[in-house]
Amino acid sequence: MKKVELLAPAGDYEALTSAVNAGCDAVYLGGKNFGARAYATNFDYDDLKSAVEFCHLRDVKVYVTVNTLVANEEFEKLVNYLDFLYSIGVDAVIVQDMGVLKFLRENYPDLKVHASTQMTVHNLEGVQELAEKGVSRVILSRELTLKEIKDIVQNSNIEIEVFVHGALCVSYSGQCFMSSILGGRSGNRGRCAQPCRLKYSLVDKEGKVLEKDLHLLSMADLCTIEHIPKLIEAGITSFKIEGRMKNAEYVASVVKAYREAIDSFYEGRTFDSGKAIEEMSRIFNRGFSTGYLFGVKPSKMSYLSPKNTGVAAAEVISVTSKTSRLRLLRDIAKGDGISNEKGEKGQKVEIIFKNGKKVDRAYEGDIIELPLKFYVKEGEILNKTYDVLLNDKLKNLLSKKIPIKIYAELKKDKPLYIKIQEGIHTVEVYSDEISQIAEKVSIEEDFLKDKLTQINDTAFYVEEIEVVVEKGLYMSVKGIKEARRKAIEMLEKKKLEYYRREEKHTFFSLLPFKEKKEKVSLTFYTDKVEHLKIASQLGIEYVYFNYKLDIKLLKKGLELTKDSKTTVIPAFPSILREEIKRIKPQLEFLQDMGINKILVSNLGLYHIAKNYDFEIFIDYPLNIFNNLAVDYFKPYAVTLSYELTLEQIKDIAKRSDVKFEALIYGRLPLMTMEYCPIRNLVGCDRERCEKGYYFLKDRKGKLMPLKSNGFCRMQILNADVLLMLSIKELKQAGLSFLRIHDTIEKDEEIEKVLKMHIEALKGNEIEILEGKYTKGHFYRGVL
């Protein structure tokens, strides 16, 4: 059994060295651009080169994140960056964008590509699709259970990476547009503002407040350290720790704990997971859970606070105007951080009084007095949010060193010969100085060994040393040290050259603009058979019908539209887990029915559907952001990402013969979740969930509808409705289809909406329906 890789985050150089010293096998980090953590410190070109060298000298791999969506106009800059990453010898790049993947495989065939969790790969077929395209590793969606992960590992031939610890996104990664739509900062572009960590109220359609002002979308952190044996036995290649926004001490704490857990398993030793969890909690704690590993729907959330709430440290006995008297539940030291239980108010511990005297440290069970700067009351529990002694310990981990073997000879009238072996690398050097007959003190074997092993300022330590010294010889200490230095430098150079690649200057150019005169048609997306009927009666050319894999419902829809000019295009959910097993029979049925067009919204579905004779329409959840991504799929039509501007849409559409579509009306999905706040707080209410009966109310009073997709996966919809009626500009952009996206609209409302757009497309005057509208990103774009 190949040993599982422990993969650590590095948001800056300090975190990188902490991760390596704590025992990781690989690190992942980002440059200043094209990474999904734009607000981490990250690494400039010089830092990246230094980081790669630091890691490679210590046998640690480096994976660089290039896991954002890339616009056409950014590709030239990206290509220069990829050339640089290639030349400095990074071990792999992590990508989200299908266009970037296509470019990498065509231009850097010997550079490994890892598919980011931002690709939303959540089924075996999605993994198989990427394996076919030369991806060497897939980072699975965090929503998968251990059973699903095992199935994928056993039935695929590429590496599988799984998150084992850290913050959990409440949305499927790659399917979150909340930060983008609400604030213009796109999670798909690495600039998530984390609106999911804010407070929301749960209300129903009648306006009744069911839960008020809680962090309803804030998940507890993932912690799987108790289950490491099960995860290893599942055959996973790499255990990933989340945390590129965390400090060096956090990284050291978590890596150290998981290193010990993994090594204990392989060595057959007992591992105290409780102790490890307790120590990690002292560094950062907003509650731990096993996420989705052992159940489809998580219930453990951090509703009260999304911040570090620490660990219980003291009980308030009494309060005076100057100090609070506390009974300690755990040790406390000067320099610690202390807060109320929710972590909302806190301070640094500056003075501790014990028995009337100032002390630097007090212990569990002690009665102490602290001057507190925030209000507390008798009986309240206070938490320790910063452990100064533990942090200091984690800042001073022993440096990671690689073992070497040294053989040296000192013979008469000859230079000192040194041979060093490290793994597959061997170097041999001779000193510049020649040995002499000793006049006073001669070189002894122990003396030479001592001088040759003085390499503490390097990445190595001497595991074995053998020296042969002829009697009565002398060489200066300076000469010995200079030869040793030269040998170590040669070893470092040889080791780094093993990883480096030739310098590249890759050519890139987009296809030129084409003359394109497109007939522009309205399309309509719905999961309601009644709305399908309304659209067909009004003459809508294409209706995407999300029939939720219910053949009876599809047959009913086809029957209702058989005498109309409407073409019904079956649409599928963007997430297909267990449901993916039903897809082949469904597609065969569709073919037998004479249907030749389908709407595809995830990689697994595409992998299956491309082998059938369908005209494939690629939907927006596949995040098409540039022409190379279009070329990856070679589809009949593409619904472009709704994070693109009108100018960016035009730039893509005019460079391709593919037909393009943009969403111009609807409550845009902000995120797609496996987690269900309604189930957690009210109880399962499937029928009303599918009709949008519940809402999240934000701090500004806006109501965001919650709507199930029919498979108990929840979508949060935007409070404001997208309405883009600049038809002339849309036509000039080279679009073929303009989509009206139906979510929670009633029959009468959707009829009015469709009629309004039909008249607008004809160029007639229209009356806009009452409501709160937005033009989305057509003009403002995203960061």
Side-chain angles (χ1 to χ4, degrees):
M1 181 190 291
K2 187 178 178 182
K3 195 170 184 179
V4 70
E5 175 186 85
L6 180 58
L7 176 58
D12 58 29
Y13 211 93
E14 190 181 0
L16 174 89
T17 56
S18 287
V20 171
N21 292 337
C24 71
D25 301 302
V27 295
Y28 65 102
L29 50 85
K32 296 291 185 182
N33 297 293
F34 306 112
R37 288 292 183 271
Y39 299 120
T41 301
N42 292 319
F43 295 74
D44 62 22
Y45 275 35
D46 289 339
D47 289 339
L48 277 168
K49 188 172 183 293
S50 296
V52 170
E53 290 178 353
F54 177 86
C55 289
H56 282 169
L57 285 174
R58 291 159 179 81
D59 293 343
V60 171
K61 292 181 179 178
V62 180
Y63 309 140
V64 177
T65 57
V66 190
N67 56 340
T68 60
L69 300 180
V70 180
N72 273 353
E73 64 268 22
E74 296 170 317
F75 256 90
E76 190 171 341
K77 184 177 180 181
L78 172 67
V79 171
N80 291 334
Y81 182 50
L82 292 174
D83 281 345
F84 171 73
L85 295 179
Y86 179 85
S87 68
I88 64 173
V90 302
D91 296 277
V93 291
I94 305 169
V95 302
Q96 171 186 11
D97 192 302
M98 303 307 294
V100 176
L101 168 59
K102 183 176 188 294
F103 186 80
L104 280 163
R105 291 281 45 90
E106 291 173 354
N107 293 279
Y108 308 85
D110 56 333
L111 176 57
K112 289 184 177 181
V113 177
H114 295 179
S116 170
T117 189
Q118 288 286 124
M119 275 195 188
T120 326
V121 182
H122 56 276
N123 50 44
L124 174 62
E125 289 74 12
V127 172
Q128 291 170 335
E129 169 63 23
L130 293 171
E132 235 178 54
K133 294 299 190 293
V135 169
S136 59
R137 178 183 296 187
V138 173
I139 306 159
L140 295 176
S141 292
R142 281 171 268 203
E143 286 76 7
L144 298 191
T145 64
L146 186 57
K147 181 183 176 185
E148 289 172 306
I149 293 167
K150 275 185 182 177
D151 181 63
I152 289 170
V153 169
Q154 289 167 4
N155 292 284
S156 58
N157 58 2
I158 63 173
E159 296 179 349
I160 298 298
E161 182 176 304
V162 171
F163 283 91
V164 296
H165 193 95
L168 286 169
C169 294
V170 71
S171 172
Y172 276 89
S173 293
Q175 303 304 309
C176 182
F177 304 90
M178 196 170 195
S179 177
S180 163
I181 296 296
L182 300 185
R185 292 162 60 178
S186 170
N188 284 316
R189 302 265 292 161
R191 289 173 169 83
C192 180
Q194 295 193 321
C196 54
R197 298 291 182 183
L198 298 176
K199 285 184 177 180
Y200 297 93
S201 296
L202 181 66
V203 302
D204 65 18
K205 197 172 184 179
E206 280 70 48
K208 182 180 178 184
V209 178
L210 305 172
E211 292 289 346
K212 184 176 175 60
D213 289 341
L214 294 174
H215 300 275
L216 293 180
L217 303 176
S218 181
M219 297 195 74
D221 283 2
L222 178 66
C223 178
T224 66
I225 201 159
E226 295 175 278
H227 304 284
I228 288 300
K230 292 177 186 175
L231 292 167
I232 291 174
E233 288 163 355
I236 296 162
T237 305
S238 181
F239 290 169
K240 185 171 197 167
I241 295 165
E242 183 278 337
R244 281 200 291 135
M245 298 292 288
K246 296 291 200 306
N247 64 22
E249 293 76 37
Y250 173 90
V251 172
S253 167
V254 178
V255 173
K256 187 167 74 71
Y258 279 82
R259 176 78 279 150
E260 179 63 21
I262 292 166
D263 291 348
S264 294
F265 172 81
Y266 286 108
E267 294 165 14
R269 293 187 281 109
T270 301
F271 174 70
D272 189 344
S273 60
K275 182 181 176 183
I277 292 170
E278 197 275 339
E279 183 170 297
M280 289 188 291
S281 299
R282 285 157 57 196
I283 295 295
F284 187 90
N285 178 29
R286 60 176 159 219
F288 288 136
S289 80
T290 53
Y292 301 87
L293 274 178
F294 302 105
V296 176
K297 303 287 181 186
S299 58
K300 185 76 180 289
M301 303 291 288
S302 56
Y303 286 149
L304 296 179
S305 175
K307 300 177 183 178
N308 175 26
T309 55
V311 291
E315 180 185 3
V316 179
I317 299 172
S318 61
V319 181
T320 68
S321 59
K322 292 184 178 180
T323 64
S324 297
R325 192 170 172 80
L326 312 175
R327 177 183 292 106
L328 292 186
L329 305 175
R330 64 178 66 239
D331 299 355
I332 199 164
K334 187 178 177 182
D336 282 350
I338 196 162
S339 77
N340 63 2
E341 205 165 358
K342 290 185 182 180
E344 296 168 332
K345 296 176 182 179
Q347 68 180 68
K348 185 178 179 180
V349 175
E350 295 169 344
I351 303 171
I352 305 171
F353 291 102
K354 179 179 172 182
N355 299 326
K357 294 180 181 179
K358 287 185 183 180
V359 294
D360 290 335
R361 190 174 181 187
Y363 302 90
E364 181 182 340
D366 286 350
I367 305 297
I368 65 165
E369 291 182 351
L370 287 183
L372 294 179
K373 298 174 184 177
F374 56 94
Y375 173 77
V376 295
K377 58 186 178 181
E378 187 178 323
E380 189 174 347
I381 299 297
L382 302 183
N383 285 358
K384 180 157 69 167
T385 54
Y386 184 81
D387 190 315
V388 66
L389 298 176
L390 178 56
N391 274 269
D392 286 347
K393 175 184 168 186
L394 293 168
K395 285 176 184 174
N396 295 291
L397 295 176
L398 291 175
S399 298
K400 180 172 182 176
K401 302 282 187 180
I402 300 300
I404 61 174
K405 297 176 182 179
I406 296 179
Y407 174 79
E409 287 181 356
L410 185 64
K411 294 187 176 181
K412 184 181 177 183
D413 297 330
K414 290 185 177 180
L416 172 64
Y417 167 75
I418 302 174
K419 181 171 81 170
I420 300 180
Q421 288 183 297
E422 187 279 309
I424 62 171
H425 306 292
T426 301
V427 297
E428 297 176 287
V429 301
Y430 292 91
S431 65
D432 295 331
E433 193 175 323
I434 304 296
S435 67
Q436 303 172 26
I437 300 297
E439 294 181 3
K440 294 180 181 179
V441 180
S442 62
I443 299 292
E444 301 293 334
E445 287 188 1
D446 286 347
F447 181 84
L448 184 57
K449 284 181 180 180
D450 178 61
K451 298 308 171 192
L452 292 178
T453 55
Q454 291 178 10
I455 56 170
N456 289 337
D457 58 343
T458 74
F460 309 106
Y461 73 91
V462 180
E463 183 181 50
E464 292 180 23
I465 183 166
E466 181 184 352
V467 299
V468 176
V469 179
E470 290 186 357
K471 297 290 184 182
L473 297 181
Y474 171 80
M475 180 175 285
S476 71
V477 172
K478 181 181 179 182
I480 295 170
K481 287 184 175 180
E482 183 61 25
R484 182 199 68 207
R485 182 193 62 76
K486 188 162 63 171
I488 292 294
E489 283 184 357
M490 283 181 64
L491 177 61
E492 290 176 342
K493 185 178 179 183
K494 192 166 189 176
K495 193 164 186 182
L496 293 176
E497 282 176 350
Y498 175 79
Y499 290 98
R500 289 193 189 109
R501 305 181 185 93
E502 65 179 13
E503 209 170 282
K504 279 179 76 82
H505 300 282
T506 307
F507 174 76
F508 172 76
S509 100
L510 290 164
L511 291 170
F513 282 148
K514 302 182 178 186
E515 283 297 320
K516 200 170 185 181
K517 292 183 180 178
E518 289 289 317
K519 173 198 166 192
V520 181
S521 304
L522 291 177
T523 61
F524 179 56
Y525 181 100
T526 188
D527 61 358
K528 305 178 189 74
V529 73
E530 297 84 357
H531 292 188
L532 170 61
K533 181 180 178 182
I534 292 168
S536 67
Q537 289 171 343
L538 292 172
I540 299 298
E541 183 177 357
Y542 289 144
V543 176
Y544 307 115
F545 184 38
N546 181 2
Y547 68 103
K548 302 174 184 177
L549 306 185
D550 182 343
I551 294 294
K552 289 182 180 178
L553 190 64
L554 178 60
K555 283 181 176 178
K556 184 177 180 182
L558 293 170
E559 180 65 27
L560 288 171
T561 58
K562 67 178 182 180
D563 296 325
S564 71
K565 296 179 180 179
T566 294
T567 298
V568 176
I569 301 177
F572 299 84
S574 59
I575 306 298
L576 290 167
R577 288 169 63 176
E578 284 296 313
E579 303 86 3
I580 197 81
K581 295 172 183 174
R582 298 162 56 188
I583 290 299
K584 283 185 180 179
Q586 295 270 332
L587 295 182
E588 286 160 10
F589 170 79
L590 297 181
Q591 277 199 332
D592 292 344
M593 293 282 289
I595 291 171
N596 67 349
K597 294 177 173 64
I598 59 170
L599 184 66
V600 169
S601 54
N602 73 70
L603 272 179
L605 174 60
Y606 172 74
H607 182 69
I608 298 170
K610 70 182 183 181
N611 295 312
Y612 290 80
D613 191 22
F614 290 110
E615 288 182 343
I616 291 178
F617 288 58
I618 293 294
D619 204 3
Y620 71 86
L622 280 162
N623 289 321
I624 306 301
F625 218 75
N626 54 63
N627 280 97
L628 278 79
V630 175
D631 292 344
Y632 175 96
F633 291 103
K634 298 181 175 62
Y636 175 78
V638 169
T639 308
L640 292 167
S641 165
Y642 49 73
E643 294 188 300
L644 291 164
T645 66
L646 197 56
E647 280 302 309
Q648 288 172 320
I649 289 170
K650 181 178 179 180
D651 189 67
I652 295 170
K654 296 271 177 119
R655 296 181 192 275
S656 174
D657 293 326
V658 169
K659 295 184 181 297
F660 290 97
E661 176 178 73
L663 272 70
I664 65 165
Y665 174 90
R667 291 171 174 81
L668 294 179
L670 300 180
M671 58 172 65
T672 301
M673 309 181 294
E674 205 64 59
Y675 156 71
C676 179
I678 298 161
R679 178 180 178 274
N680 265 21
L681 299 166
V682 178
C684 188
D685 192 358
R686 183 165 182 165
E687 184 178 346
R688 290 198 289 188
C689 279
E690 291 180 19
K691 294 178 179 177
Y693 180 80
Y694 297 96
F695 298 80
L696 290 182
K697 185 176 182 180
D698 70 11
R699 65 192 190 283
K700 296 179 181 178
K702 287 195 171 186
L703 296 173
M704 294 177 282
L706 293 167
K707 185 179 187 296
S708 169
N709 71 346
F711 296 92
C712 284
R713 294 187 185 102
M714 192 63 66
Q715 284 195 322
I716 303 175
L717 307 176
N718 195 16
D720 297 336
V721 178
L722 174 68
L723 181 63
M724 177 61 178
L725 284 175
S726 303
I727 301 297
K728 184 178 179 182
E729 288 183 275
L730 291 166
K731 286 181 176 179
Q732 290 172 345
L735 292 164
S736 301
F737 306 122
L738 308 178
R739 186 196 293 189
I740 297 157
H741 196 74
D742 175 28
T743 51
I744 62 169
E745 287 81 359
K746 299 297 182 186
D747 297 359
E748 183 182 347
E749 182 184 358
I750 209 66
E751 185 173 354
K752 289 178 180 178
V753 167
L754 288 168
K755 285 179 177 177
M756 176 176 71
H757 283 84
I758 289 168
E759 293 304 309
L761 191 61
K762 290 177 182 177
N764 297 333
E765 289 288 322
I766 58 167
E767 182 179 344
I768 294 175
L769 303 179
E770 185 179 342
K772 291 184 178 180
Y773 296 108
T774 173
K775 284 187 168 62
H777 290 303
F778 280 105
Y779 299 109
R780 71 174 182 171
V782 295
L783 292 174

